[in-house]
Amino acid sequence: MTASTLPGHPFIAYREGELCVEQVPLASLAANHGTPLFVYSKAAMLSALAAYQRGFAGRQAQICYAMKANSSLAVLQVFAQAGCGFDIVSAGELARVLAAGGDPAKVIFSGVGKTRAEMKQALQVGIGCFNVESTAELDVLSEVASAMGRQAPVSLRVNPNVDPKTHPYISTGLKGNKFGVAHEDAVPIYLHAASLPGLKVVGIDCHIGSQITEVTPYLDAMDRVLDLVTEIEAAGVPIHHIDFGGGLGINYNGDTPPEADALWAQLLAKLDARGFGERQLMIEPGRSLVGNAGVCLSEVLYLKPGEQKNFCIIDAAMNDLPRPAMYQAFHHITPLQLREGAQVVYDVVGPVCESGDWIGRDRALNVQPGDVLAVLSAGAYCMSMASNYNSRGRAAEILVDGAQVHLIRERESVFDTFQLEHLPA
Ligand code: LLP
Protein backbone atom coordinates (compact mmCIF):
# COMPACT_ATOMS: atom_id res chain seq x y z
CA MET A 1 0.00 0.00 0.00
CA THR A 2 1.39 3.43 -0.90
CA ALA A 3 1.14 6.08 1.78
CA SER A 4 2.48 9.60 1.90
CA THR A 5 2.04 11.65 5.05
CA LEU A 6 1.55 15.39 4.76
CA PRO A 7 4.44 17.55 6.03
CA GLY A 8 3.86 18.33 9.72
CA HIS A 9 0.96 15.87 9.91
CA PRO A 10 2.40 12.45 10.73
CA PHE A 11 -1.04 10.90 11.31
CA ILE A 12 -2.66 12.25 8.15
CA ALA A 13 -1.69 10.53 4.91
CA TYR A 14 -2.82 9.69 1.40
CA ARG A 15 -3.18 5.91 1.10
CA GLU A 16 -3.87 4.66 -2.42
CA GLY A 17 -4.82 8.23 -3.34
CA GLU A 18 -7.31 8.63 -0.45
CA LEU A 19 -6.72 10.98 2.46
CA CYS A 20 -6.84 9.16 5.82
CA VAL A 21 -6.57 10.12 9.47
CA GLU A 22 -4.78 7.27 11.21
CA GLN A 23 -6.45 4.20 9.65
CA VAL A 24 -9.70 5.86 8.66
CA PRO A 25 -10.42 7.16 5.12
CA LEU A 26 -11.88 10.62 5.48
CA ALA A 27 -14.28 10.18 2.56
CA SER A 28 -16.18 7.54 4.56
CA LEU A 29 -16.53 9.95 7.49
CA ALA A 30 -17.83 12.73 5.22
CA ALA A 31 -20.30 10.28 3.65
CA ASN A 32 -21.54 8.99 7.02
CA HIS A 33 -21.57 12.18 9.05
CA GLY A 34 -21.94 14.98 6.52
CA THR A 35 -19.91 18.19 6.19
CA PRO A 36 -18.58 20.48 7.53
CA LEU A 37 -17.00 17.94 9.84
CA PHE A 38 -14.04 18.23 12.19
CA VAL A 39 -11.92 15.09 12.51
CA TYR A 40 -9.20 14.71 15.14
CA SER A 41 -6.46 12.10 15.53
CA LYS A 42 -5.98 10.92 19.10
CA ALA A 43 -2.50 9.60 18.26
CA ALA A 44 -1.48 13.01 16.90
CA MET A 45 -2.55 14.71 20.14
CA LEU A 46 -0.72 12.19 22.30
CA SER A 47 2.37 12.38 20.13
CA ALA A 48 2.44 16.18 20.42
CA LEU A 49 2.01 15.86 24.18
CA ALA A 50 4.80 13.28 24.34
CA ALA A 51 7.30 15.84 22.99
CA TYR A 52 6.57 18.08 26.00
CA GLN A 53 6.67 15.11 28.38
CA ARG A 54 10.07 14.06 27.00
CA GLY A 55 11.28 17.63 27.36
CA PHE A 56 10.34 17.64 31.04
CA ALA A 57 11.54 14.12 31.86
CA GLY A 58 13.05 13.97 35.34
CA ARG A 59 11.78 17.44 36.30
CA GLN A 60 8.98 18.56 38.54
CA ALA A 61 6.70 19.83 35.82
CA GLN A 62 3.02 20.14 35.07
CA ILE A 63 1.64 20.49 31.55
CA CYS A 64 -1.65 22.40 31.65
CA TYR A 65 -3.44 22.08 28.31
CA ALA A 66 -4.74 25.55 27.30
CA MET A 67 -8.21 24.31 26.49
CA LYS A 68 -9.30 27.47 24.70
CA ALA A 69 -7.57 25.88 21.70
CA ASN A 70 -10.13 23.07 21.61
CA SER A 71 -12.51 22.57 24.51
CA SER A 72 -14.52 19.61 23.23
CA LEU A 73 -15.12 17.20 26.10
CA ALA A 74 -13.59 14.18 24.39
CA VAL A 75 -10.44 16.15 23.60
CA LEU A 76 -10.19 17.18 27.24
CA GLN A 77 -10.65 13.57 28.27
CA VAL A 78 -7.68 12.51 26.13
CA PHE A 79 -5.44 15.02 27.92
CA ALA A 80 -6.90 14.37 31.39
CA GLN A 81 -6.24 10.64 30.98
CA ALA A 82 -2.68 11.43 29.87
CA GLY A 83 -2.10 13.27 33.17
CA CYS A 84 -2.45 16.86 31.99
CA GLY A 85 -3.78 19.73 34.00
CA PHE A 86 -5.73 22.51 32.29
CA ASP A 87 -5.32 26.22 31.74
CA ILE A 88 -8.81 27.72 31.87
CA VAL A 89 -10.15 31.21 31.29
CA SER A 90 -13.78 30.96 32.42
CA ALA A 91 -16.17 29.08 34.68
CA GLY A 92 -17.50 27.48 31.52
CA GLU A 93 -14.10 25.97 30.84
CA LEU A 94 -13.88 24.82 34.47
CA ALA A 95 -17.23 23.04 34.13
CA ARG A 96 -15.96 21.32 30.98
CA VAL A 97 -12.78 20.12 32.74
CA LEU A 98 -14.87 18.60 35.52
CA ALA A 99 -17.32 17.03 33.06
CA ALA A 100 -14.41 15.43 31.18
CA GLY A 101 -12.90 13.95 34.36
CA GLY A 102 -10.05 16.47 34.78
CA ASP A 103 -8.43 17.02 38.18
CA PRO A 104 -9.36 20.47 39.57
CA ALA A 105 -6.15 20.53 41.62
CA LYS A 106 -4.24 20.67 38.30
CA VAL A 107 -6.25 23.61 36.96
CA ILE A 108 -4.81 27.09 36.59
CA PHE A 109 -7.20 29.96 35.94
CA SER A 110 -5.89 32.67 33.58
CA GLY A 111 -7.56 35.78 32.18
CA VAL A 112 -7.90 39.50 32.90
CA GLY A 113 -11.59 39.53 33.78
CA LYS A 114 -12.52 36.77 36.23
CA THR A 115 -15.83 37.51 37.94
CA ARG A 116 -16.49 37.02 41.66
CA ALA A 117 -18.83 34.15 40.82
CA GLU A 118 -16.11 32.47 38.75
CA MET A 119 -13.57 32.93 41.56
CA LYS A 120 -15.99 31.38 44.03
CA GLN A 121 -16.67 28.34 41.84
CA ALA A 122 -12.96 27.80 41.27
CA LEU A 123 -12.24 28.05 45.02
CA GLN A 124 -15.08 25.64 45.82
CA VAL A 125 -13.60 22.89 43.65
CA GLY A 126 -10.05 23.64 44.82
CA ILE A 127 -8.18 24.68 41.67
CA GLY A 128 -4.38 24.69 41.73
CA CYS A 129 -3.68 28.35 41.02
CA PHE A 130 -5.21 31.66 39.95
CA ASN A 131 -3.00 33.44 37.44
CA VAL A 132 -3.84 37.00 38.46
CA GLU A 133 -3.45 39.89 36.03
CA SER A 134 -3.94 43.10 38.10
CA THR A 135 -3.84 44.58 41.60
CA ALA A 136 -7.60 45.13 41.48
CA GLU A 137 -8.11 41.43 40.77
CA LEU A 138 -5.85 40.48 43.71
CA ASP A 139 -7.98 42.58 46.06
CA VAL A 140 -11.25 41.07 44.85
CA LEU A 141 -9.89 37.51 44.94
CA SER A 142 -8.65 37.99 48.51
CA GLU A 143 -12.07 39.31 49.52
CA VAL A 144 -13.93 36.41 47.88
CA ALA A 145 -11.59 33.80 49.38
CA SER A 146 -11.66 35.37 52.86
CA ALA A 147 -15.47 35.37 52.84
CA MET A 148 -15.29 31.61 52.17
CA GLY A 149 -12.69 31.10 54.91
CA ARG A 150 -10.15 30.14 52.26
CA GLN A 151 -6.80 31.27 50.92
CA ALA A 152 -6.59 31.42 47.13
CA PRO A 153 -3.31 30.13 45.61
CA VAL A 154 -2.02 32.88 43.31
CA SER A 155 0.60 33.56 40.70
CA LEU A 156 1.03 36.96 39.05
CA ARG A 157 1.21 37.20 35.31
CA VAL A 158 4.12 39.48 34.58
CA ASN A 159 4.71 41.09 31.28
CA PRO A 160 8.25 40.43 30.17
CA ASN A 161 7.95 43.01 27.36
CA VAL A 162 9.45 40.62 24.83
CA ASP A 163 8.45 40.62 21.17
CA PRO A 164 7.23 37.11 20.25
CA LYS A 165 7.35 37.97 16.51
CA THR A 166 3.86 36.74 15.79
CA HIS A 167 0.54 38.25 14.57
CA PRO A 168 -0.30 41.40 16.61
CA TYR A 169 -3.69 39.95 17.69
CA ILE A 170 -1.99 36.95 19.30
CA SER A 171 0.99 38.79 20.75
CA THR A 172 0.35 39.33 24.45
CA GLY A 173 3.53 40.05 26.39
CA LEU A 174 4.33 43.55 25.14
CA LYS A 175 3.72 46.83 26.92
CA GLY A 176 0.42 48.10 25.60
CA ASN A 177 -1.26 44.68 25.74
CA LYS A 178 -4.15 44.36 28.20
CA PHE A 179 -2.50 41.38 29.87
CA GLY A 180 -0.41 40.96 33.00
CA VAL A 181 1.36 43.46 35.22
CA ALA A 182 4.38 45.46 34.11
CA HIS A 183 7.76 43.93 34.89
CA GLU A 184 8.84 47.01 36.85
CA ASP A 185 5.71 46.98 39.04
CA ALA A 186 5.90 43.27 39.87
CA VAL A 187 7.82 43.40 43.18
CA PRO A 188 5.50 45.87 44.95
CA ILE A 189 2.46 44.00 43.62
CA TYR A 190 3.88 40.70 44.95
CA LEU A 191 4.42 42.36 48.36
CA HIS A 192 0.82 43.56 48.25
CA ALA A 193 -0.41 40.06 47.35
CA ALA A 194 1.59 38.54 50.20
CA SER A 195 -0.02 40.99 52.63
CA LEU A 196 -3.61 40.09 51.72
CA PRO A 197 -5.33 37.64 54.08
CA GLY A 198 -7.20 35.66 51.45
CA LEU A 199 -4.20 34.92 49.23
CA LYS A 200 -1.24 32.55 49.26
CA VAL A 201 1.47 33.40 46.73
CA VAL A 202 2.62 30.22 45.01
CA GLY A 203 4.11 31.17 41.66
CA ILE A 204 4.88 33.48 38.79
CA ASP A 205 3.71 33.26 35.20
CA CYS A 206 4.08 34.98 31.87
CA HIS A 207 2.70 34.51 28.39
CA ILE A 208 4.23 36.33 25.46
CA GLY A 209 2.00 35.25 22.62
CA SER A 210 0.86 32.41 20.43
CA GLN A 211 2.11 30.74 17.23
CA ILE A 212 5.70 31.45 18.24
CA THR A 213 8.13 29.66 15.94
CA GLU A 214 11.46 30.86 17.35
CA VAL A 215 13.37 29.94 20.50
CA THR A 216 14.81 33.36 21.29
CA PRO A 217 11.62 35.02 22.57
CA TYR A 218 11.15 32.17 25.07
CA LEU A 219 14.75 32.41 26.27
CA ASP A 220 14.50 36.19 26.59
CA ALA A 221 11.22 35.93 28.50
CA MET A 222 12.70 33.31 30.79
CA ASP A 223 15.66 35.55 31.61
CA ARG A 224 13.32 38.40 32.47
CA VAL A 225 11.14 36.17 34.65
CA LEU A 226 14.12 34.65 36.48
CA ASP A 227 15.47 38.15 37.21
CA LEU A 228 12.14 38.92 38.81
CA VAL A 229 12.00 35.72 40.84
CA THR A 230 15.36 36.69 42.34
CA GLU A 231 14.07 40.16 43.21
CA ILE A 232 10.74 38.96 44.60
CA GLU A 233 12.37 36.34 46.78
CA ALA A 234 14.95 38.88 48.00
CA ALA A 235 11.98 40.99 49.08
CA GLY A 236 10.78 38.05 51.18
CA VAL A 237 8.10 36.34 49.04
CA PRO A 238 8.94 32.74 48.07
CA ILE A 239 7.99 31.62 44.56
CA HIS A 240 7.32 27.88 44.31
CA HIS A 241 6.50 27.46 40.65
CA ILE A 242 7.42 29.15 37.40
CA ASP A 243 4.86 28.98 34.59
CA PHE A 244 6.08 29.87 31.10
CA GLY A 245 2.68 30.38 29.51
CA GLY A 246 1.58 29.03 26.14
CA GLY A 247 3.31 26.49 23.96
CA LEU A 248 4.94 26.50 20.57
CA GLY A 249 3.58 27.41 17.21
CA ILE A 250 2.81 24.77 14.59
CA ASN A 251 3.60 24.21 10.94
CA TYR A 252 0.72 25.80 9.01
CA ASN A 253 2.61 26.71 5.86
CA GLY A 254 6.23 25.68 6.00
CA ASP A 255 6.62 27.21 9.48
CA THR A 256 9.49 25.60 11.34
CA PRO A 257 8.89 25.84 15.08
CA PRO A 258 11.35 23.91 17.24
CA GLU A 259 10.20 20.56 18.65
CA ALA A 260 8.91 20.88 22.22
CA ASP A 261 11.65 18.66 23.62
CA ALA A 262 14.35 20.63 21.77
CA LEU A 263 12.98 23.94 23.09
CA TRP A 264 12.87 22.57 26.62
CA ALA A 265 16.42 21.31 26.43
CA GLN A 266 17.50 24.92 25.87
CA LEU A 267 15.16 26.38 28.49
CA LEU A 268 16.19 23.81 31.09
CA ALA A 269 19.87 24.45 30.38
CA LYS A 270 19.27 28.11 31.15
CA LEU A 271 17.26 27.29 34.28
CA ASP A 272 20.02 25.00 35.51
CA ALA A 273 22.75 27.52 34.69
CA ARG A 274 20.90 30.16 36.69
CA GLY A 275 20.23 27.83 39.64
CA PHE A 276 16.47 27.39 39.12
CA GLY A 277 16.53 23.81 37.85
CA GLU A 278 14.80 22.39 40.94
CA ARG A 279 11.72 24.60 40.70
CA GLN A 280 8.28 23.30 39.93
CA LEU A 281 7.74 24.20 36.26
CA MET A 282 4.55 24.69 34.31
CA ILE A 283 3.59 25.31 30.73
CA GLU A 284 0.20 25.96 29.13
CA PRO A 285 0.36 24.69 25.54
CA GLY A 286 -2.79 24.81 23.45
CA ARG A 287 -2.24 25.04 19.69
CA SER A 288 0.77 22.71 19.54
CA LEU A 289 -1.13 19.86 21.26
CA VAL A 290 -4.16 19.87 18.96
CA GLY A 291 -3.61 22.12 15.95
CA ASN A 292 -2.16 19.61 13.52
CA ALA A 293 -4.22 16.76 14.98
CA GLY A 294 -7.37 18.08 13.31
CA VAL A 295 -8.83 18.65 9.86
CA CYS A 296 -12.12 20.17 8.76
CA LEU A 297 -13.89 18.39 5.92
CA SER A 298 -16.01 20.50 3.61
CA GLU A 299 -17.88 19.76 0.38
CA VAL A 300 -17.40 21.78 -2.79
CA LEU A 301 -20.81 23.30 -3.56
CA TYR A 302 -20.10 25.37 -6.68
CA LEU A 303 -17.28 26.46 -8.92
CA LYS A 304 -17.67 30.05 -10.04
CA PRO A 305 -15.21 31.25 -12.67
CA GLY A 306 -14.66 35.01 -12.85
CA GLU A 307 -12.75 37.63 -14.76
CA GLN A 308 -10.35 38.40 -11.91
CA LYS A 309 -10.82 35.41 -9.64
CA ASN A 310 -12.20 31.92 -9.74
CA PHE A 311 -14.15 30.95 -6.67
CA CYS A 312 -14.49 27.50 -5.16
CA ILE A 313 -17.51 27.76 -2.87
CA ILE A 314 -17.51 25.21 -0.06
CA ASP A 315 -19.97 24.41 2.72
CA ALA A 316 -17.65 25.46 5.57
CA ALA A 317 -17.40 29.15 6.32
CA MET A 318 -15.89 31.75 8.61
CA ASN A 319 -18.28 30.68 11.35
CA ASP A 320 -16.66 27.22 11.31
CA LEU A 321 -13.09 28.29 10.49
CA PRO A 322 -12.67 31.86 11.74
CA ARG A 323 -8.87 32.07 11.61
CA PRO A 324 -8.42 33.26 8.00
CA ALA A 325 -10.99 36.04 8.44
CA MET A 326 -9.64 37.08 11.85
CA TYR A 327 -5.88 36.74 11.44
CA GLN A 328 -5.40 36.33 7.67
CA ALA A 329 -4.26 32.86 8.73
CA PHE A 330 -3.13 30.25 6.24
CA HIS A 331 -4.55 26.72 6.29
CA HIS A 332 -3.59 24.14 3.68
CA ILE A 333 -6.54 22.83 1.68
CA THR A 334 -6.36 19.48 -0.05
CA PRO A 335 -8.95 17.24 -1.73
CA LEU A 336 -9.75 13.88 -0.12
CA GLN A 337 -9.36 12.16 -3.49
CA LEU A 338 -6.78 13.35 -5.98
CA ARG A 339 -7.98 13.71 -9.60
CA GLU A 340 -5.87 13.42 -12.72
CA GLY A 341 -5.67 16.59 -14.80
CA ALA A 342 -5.00 20.29 -14.65
CA GLN A 343 -5.38 22.44 -11.58
CA VAL A 344 -7.18 25.78 -11.53
CA VAL A 345 -6.39 28.61 -9.11
CA TYR A 346 -9.32 29.43 -6.85
CA ASP A 347 -10.17 31.51 -3.84
CA VAL A 348 -11.82 28.98 -1.55
CA VAL A 349 -14.73 30.72 0.14
CA GLY A 350 -17.74 29.88 2.31
CA PRO A 351 -21.44 30.70 1.99
CA VAL A 352 -21.45 33.51 4.61
CA CYS A 353 -22.44 36.93 3.31
CA GLU A 354 -19.16 38.76 3.86
CA SER A 355 -16.15 39.28 1.62
CA GLY A 356 -14.05 38.33 4.64
CA ASP A 357 -15.51 34.83 4.45
CA TRP A 358 -12.59 33.16 2.76
CA ILE A 359 -10.81 30.00 3.84
CA GLY A 360 -7.90 30.05 1.41
CA ARG A 361 -6.73 32.42 -1.33
CA ASP A 362 -5.15 31.55 -4.67
CA ARG A 363 -5.16 27.79 -4.22
CA ALA A 364 -4.38 25.50 -7.12
CA LEU A 365 -6.96 22.71 -7.04
CA ASN A 366 -8.42 20.14 -9.39
CA VAL A 367 -11.93 19.76 -8.00
CA GLN A 368 -15.55 19.36 -9.04
CA PRO A 369 -18.76 20.12 -7.16
CA GLY A 370 -19.45 17.27 -4.74
CA ASP A 371 -15.75 16.68 -4.00
CA VAL A 372 -14.75 16.94 -0.37
CA LEU A 373 -11.80 19.06 0.73
CA ALA A 374 -9.79 18.82 3.93
CA VAL A 375 -8.77 22.08 5.58
CA LEU A 376 -5.63 21.16 7.51
CA SER A 377 -4.27 22.36 10.86
CA ALA A 378 -7.86 22.82 12.03
CA GLY A 379 -7.59 21.21 15.46
CA ALA A 380 -6.84 24.43 17.34
CA TYR A 381 -8.85 27.63 17.56
CA CYS A 382 -11.39 26.54 14.97
CA MET A 383 -14.27 24.63 16.58
CA SER A 384 -13.61 26.43 19.87
CA MET A 385 -14.07 29.78 18.09
CA ALA A 386 -16.95 28.67 15.86
CA SER A 387 -20.16 30.69 15.93
CA ASN A 388 -23.71 30.55 14.63
CA TYR A 389 -23.27 33.56 12.34
CA ASN A 390 -25.73 33.51 9.44
CA SER A 391 -27.80 31.09 11.58
CA ARG A 392 -25.50 28.25 10.69
CA GLY A 393 -25.43 25.34 13.11
CA ARG A 394 -21.99 24.32 14.24
CA ALA A 395 -20.22 21.33 12.70
CA ALA A 396 -20.04 17.80 14.09
CA GLU A 397 -16.78 16.39 15.47
CA ILE A 398 -15.14 12.97 15.21
CA LEU A 399 -12.27 11.52 17.20
CA VAL A 400 -10.29 8.85 15.38
CA ASP A 401 -8.30 6.34 17.45
CA GLY A 402 -6.53 3.86 15.19
CA ALA A 403 -9.35 2.30 13.16
CA GLN A 404 -12.00 3.39 15.66
CA VAL A 405 -14.32 6.31 14.95
CA HIS A 406 -16.06 8.17 17.77
CA LEU A 407 -18.70 10.81 17.09
CA ILE A 408 -17.78 13.23 19.90
CA ARG A 409 -20.15 16.07 19.04
CA GLU A 410 -23.32 15.93 17.02
CA ARG A 411 -24.06 18.46 14.35
CA GLU A 412 -25.99 21.40 15.79
CA SER A 413 -29.48 21.58 14.31
CA VAL A 414 -31.32 24.77 13.51
CA PHE A 415 -33.65 23.86 16.37
CA ASP A 416 -30.66 23.78 18.76
CA THR A 417 -29.75 27.30 17.70
CA PHE A 418 -33.28 28.62 18.50
CA GLN A 419 -33.64 26.90 21.84
CA LEU A 420 -32.92 29.75 24.23
CA GLU A 421 -34.97 32.36 22.34
CA HIS A 422 -38.48 33.58 23.08
CA LEU A 423 -41.06 35.45 21.05
CA PRO A 424 -42.81 38.07 23.22
CA ALA A 425 -46.51 37.15 23.50
N1 LLP B 1 -1.86 30.61 28.16
C1 LLP B 1 -2.43 31.81 28.02
C2 LLP B 1 -2.51 32.69 29.15
C3 LLP B 1 -2.93 32.19 26.76
O1 LLP B 1 -3.48 33.39 26.62
C4 LLP B 1 -2.84 31.31 25.66
C5 LLP B 1 -3.39 31.66 24.35
C6 LLP B 1 -2.26 30.04 25.88
C7 LLP B 1 -1.77 29.74 27.13
C8 LLP B 1 -2.14 29.02 24.79
O2 LLP B 1 -1.25 29.44 23.80
P1 LLP B 1 -0.83 28.43 22.60
O3 LLP B 1 -0.04 27.32 23.21
O4 LLP B 1 -2.08 27.95 22.00
O5 LLP B 1 -0.02 29.27 21.71
N2 LLP B 1 -7.19 32.41 18.48
C9 LLP B 1 -5.80 32.65 18.16
C10 LLP B 1 -4.89 32.27 19.30
C11 LLP B 1 -5.18 33.00 20.59
C12 LLP B 1 -4.25 32.60 21.70
C13 LLP B 1 -4.66 33.23 22.99
N3 LLP B 1 -3.92 32.80 24.13
C14 LLP B 1 -5.45 31.89 16.87
O6 LLP B 1 -6.32 31.22 16.31
O7 LLP B 1 -4.32 31.97 16.39
Side-chain angles (χ1 to χ4, degrees):
M1 177 141 97
T2 54
S4 59
T5 56
L6 304 177
H9 298 78
F11 299 90
I12 305 177
Y14 281 100
R15 294 177 207 280
E16 313 286 8
E18 280 226 38
L19 195 63
C20 300
V21 163
E22 299 190 32
Q23 293 165 37
V24 178
L26 290 171
S28 69
L29 296 181
N32 294 338
H33 299 278
T35 52
L37 181 71
F38 284 93
V39 182
Y40 310 118
S41 155
K42 182 175 176 183
M45 293 185 214
L46 292 177
S47 144
L49 176 64
Y52 284 95
Q53 290 168 327
R54 279 195 303 275
F56 283 133
R59 305 283 174 150
Q60 291 189 67
Q62 179 65 58
I63 300 166
C64 290
Y65 167 53
M67 60 179 283
K68 62 172 80 69
N70 187 323
S71 50
S72 298
L73 293 181
V75 171
L76 303 182
Q77 186 185 51
V78 169
F79 291 116
Q81 288 175 350
C84 289
F86 295 91
D87 171 45
I88 65 165
V89 290
S90 70
E93 288 195 343
L94 177 57
R96 282 183 169 273
V97 168
L98 300 177
D103 178 358
K106 293 186 193 164
V107 166
I108 54 181
F109 194 165
S110 302
V112 293
K114 304 172 193 79
T115 66
R116 283 168 192 264
E118 287 179 318
M119 291 172 177
K120 205 170 155 190
Q121 286 171 41
L123 284 164
Q124 269 160 354
V125 300
I127 68 158
C129 188
F130 289 85
N131 285 2
V132 173
E133 306 224 14
S134 63
T135 310
E137 186 192 336
L138 283 176
D139 293 337
V140 170
L141 181 58
S142 175
E143 229 178 272
V144 172
S146 298
M148 295 169 71
R150 300 272 178 90
Q151 273 198 319
V154 296
S155 158
L156 267 174
R157 174 169 175 173
V158 294
N159 240 328
N161 200 26
V162 162
D163 185 355
K165 306 195 175 84
T166 183
H167 191 283
Y169 282 13
I170 50 177
S171 149
T172 55
L174 285 166
K175 279 189 180 166
N177 287 129
K178 70 177 173 180
F179 300 102
V181 301
H183 192 270
E184 47 282 14
D185 301 336
V187 176
I189 299 179
Y190 262 101
L191 290 171
H192 178 63
S195 75
L196 291 172
L199 304 184
K200 179 171 168 38
V201 172
V202 294
I204 189 164
D205 62 284
C206 72
H207 175 73
I208 53 176
S210 197
Q211 184 53 16
I212 303 171
T213 55
E214 292 174 41
V215 174
T216 323
Y218 281 100
L219 292 170
D220 292 349
M222 175 174 281
D223 265 327
R224 305 270 294 160
V225 169
L226 296 183
D227 291 347
L228 263 184
V229 173
T230 308
E231 281 183 53
I232 296 161
E233 294 196 326
V237 183
I239 301 291
H240 298 287
H241 76 244
I242 308 176
D243 171 354
F244 296 102
L248 289 157
I250 61 171
N251 177 0
Y252 283 105
N253 186 22
D255 307 289
T256 50
E259 295 294 325
D261 41 355
L263 170 70
W264 278 96
Q266 292 197 47
L267 288 171
L268 291 171
K270 186 181 275 292
L271 278 166
D272 290 342
R274 295 197 51 179
F276 292 95
E278 301 297 306
R279 295 295 162 117
Q280 161 86 25
L281 305 174
M282 296 219 242
I283 186 156
E284 311 157 2
R287 187 191 314 270
S288 48
L289 295 185
V290 290
N292 277 342
V295 300
C296 180
L297 307 185
S298 179
E299 184 179 322
V300 176
L301 298 175
Y302 303 104
L303 297 178
K304 184 172 172 182
E307 224 169 89
Q308 292 189 356
K309 287 266 179 190
N310 301 310
F311 292 100
C312 171
I313 302 169
I314 63 174
D315 67 358
M318 64 188 287
N319 72 300
D320 306 295
L321 294 162
R323 302 192 68 258
M326 281 186 79
Y327 317 110
Q328 297 78 48
F330 181 97
H331 287 259
H332 270 294
I333 301 174
T334 189
L336 298 195
Q337 276 138 347
L338 299 174
R339 289 173 179 277
E340 300 284 324
Q343 295 183 320
V344 175
V345 174
Y346 294 102
D347 273 11
V348 179
V349 301
V352 160
C353 296
E354 298 221 20
S355 298
D357 180 30
W358 58 278
I359 307 298
R361 291 199 160 130
D362 298 323
R363 303 304 174 85
L365 294 166
N366 178 2
V367 287
Q368 291 300 324
D371 286 3
V372 178
L373 303 179
V375 180
L376 303 186
S377 309
Y381 302 113
C382 291
M383 188 62 182
S384 61
M385 291 174 67
S387 77
N388 292 124
Y389 188 38
N390 277 210
S391 292
R392 292 166 53 87
R394 281 174 299 171
E397 292 180 299
I398 300 278
L399 181 70
V400 169
D401 181 6
Q404 276 182 302
V405 171
H406 304 279
L407 175 65
I408 60 167
R409 185 196 296 259
E410 289 177 39
R411 187 171 302 287
E412 200 173 26
S413 72
V414 175
F415 174 76
D416 294 328
T417 70
F418 289 177
Q419 255 197 70
L420 299 176
E421 296 181 47
H422 303 283
L423 290 171

